[in-house]
Amino acid sequence: MQLLSKTKLRVEEQNLADRVRYILRSNIFDVAELERLRREAVPSSDENATAEDAAPQMVEQPANVDAAVNTPVVVDSNDDGTVAQELELEHMRSTLEEAIVETRSTPLENRPRLPRIALSKRNRAVVRALNPMLVTCLEASRDLCETDSILFGAALAVCRIISAKVSTAGRATGHSSAIPAWRRRIEERIAKARALIGRLICFRSGNNRPRIVRTVRMAFAGTNVSLSQPDITQKLTESIDDLKQRNAAWGKRIRRYTERSTRFNQNLLFQSDQKRLYESLERPMVSGTGPAPNQAYPVAFWRGLWSEHVNHSEGPWTEVVASQCAGITPMDPVIITPDDVAEAVRRAPNWKSPGLDGLHHYWLKGFMKAWCRLGALLGLSKRHPPLVEQASHALVISNE
């Protein structure tokens, strides 16, 4: 600062503020040196009298420099009070608001793919700094979907603040159609073998084009077979038969692996959702075909089951069952508390593959202010099930 005041260089206020901000963020000086420079640049009230007599030019500093020097410091209390990163709270707040608005207006399948960020002190400090800013947004959320979009927007804001690379391509919400690596390798072998079989058959039939001859020589390289020997036709036939047998073995391997994978997935589905397994066995899963469902039909169907009173003729066994169940103590209502949410989140791996929302467990662990809201929303959904009309409308929308 003293060198700038003594020299006659023309320095703009914004340029000077940018220089100060760069020094703060690049960690060139330690905390003690920064505090000494700040006291020299902006004297305190106790030193005003001495500063006016000794160096009056030091008092007059641009407003932007004062704001840049007094940039708020985010302190990581769990890391022995060490400074994690000096960040501007207003810039962070505006980035957070923009990310939340962007996430709310983006369909679920078009959300960007969040990267796995490093578990560093600076990144943890940014997450902790955004925690109190989420309270207002979370209190205004009405359901789990809106809360999830807020958390995803906060995670996106953290990635932008720390300059992490975020993929702009949308994520596929359906089942992955990628071919496994082992199957690609086997299919490549089959394709090469079929091409070689075709070249060998062409050469056996009398095609002597240079490309065909070169391929046949490469196929018999390292052997004692010569293209000019009398029994070359027999050698070609043996090589063709050998390649055909290899293709048949590789094809059986693909079918065996596919059947094994299908059985494994069906066993898992039988343990988790038997109805879905039986439906997949009865008819293939076809999505995006056929006319859209009519909302009036499911509403009328479920209203006929649940809204109309029906008198049933009960048998004598119902009285026996009622008398046996009279002494059973009713189960207490299930109340999900923030402690339950915290316990479930702590046990989850940080970077396990996320669900359809694309939000990893790391962000749920970091944004602790969301635990109370998640517990309240989950408990509310347990106590107040949706109405028939609302459930039917949601079913129609999900099918469309």
Side-chain angles (χ1 to χ4, degrees), residues 194-250:
R194 286 176 177 175
L196 182 57
I197 290 173
R199 297 290 177 88
L200 294 178
I201 292 175
C202 291
F203 183 78
R204 189 178 60 178
S205 63
N207 190 341
N208 294 325
R209 288 185 299 175
R211 182 181 299 178
I212 301 297
V213 174
R214 184 169 59 252
T215 304
V216 174
R217 285 178 179 174
M218 292 176 60
F220 288 106
T223 62
N224 295 326
V225 179
S226 176
L227 301 184
S228 59
Q229 65 186 31
D231 58 344
I232 186 60
T233 303
Q234 182 181 357
K235 296 296 183 181
L236 290 172
T237 304
E238 292 176 358
S239 179
I240 292 171
D241 293 340
D242 180 66
L243 291 174
K244 288 182 178 180
Q245 292 178 7
R246 289 186 181 183
N247 281 350
W250 288 332

Side-chain angles (χ1 to χ4, degrees), residues 138-182:
L138 292 172
E139 290 178 352
S141 61
R142 297 166 295 180
D143 51 15
L144 289 173
C145 295
E146 190 172 354
T147 303
D148 177 79
S149 65
I150 294 173
L151 295 178
F152 190 90
L156 183 61
V158 172
C159 295
R160 290 176 177 176
I161 291 173
I162 65 176
S163 300
K165 186 177 181 181
V166 180
S167 176
T168 57
R171 301 174 299 106
T173 57
H175 296 284
S176 176
S177 60
I179 302 176
W182 61 266

Side-chain angles (χ1 to χ4, degrees), residues 309-358:
H309 181 71
V310 179
N311 294 324
H312 299 279
S313 58
E314 305 291 348
W317 62 272
T318 57
E319 299 179 358
V320 178
V321 174
S323 61
Q324 292 177 355
C325 297
I328 298 177
T329 304
M331 186 181 68
D332 296 334
V334 178
I335 300 176
I336 300 178
T337 62
D339 295 336
D340 298 332
V341 178
E343 184 64 23
V345 168
R346 289 193 188 100
R347 293 198 305 265
N350 283 341
W351 302 111
K352 187 178 179 181
S353 297
L356 297 179
D357 58 350

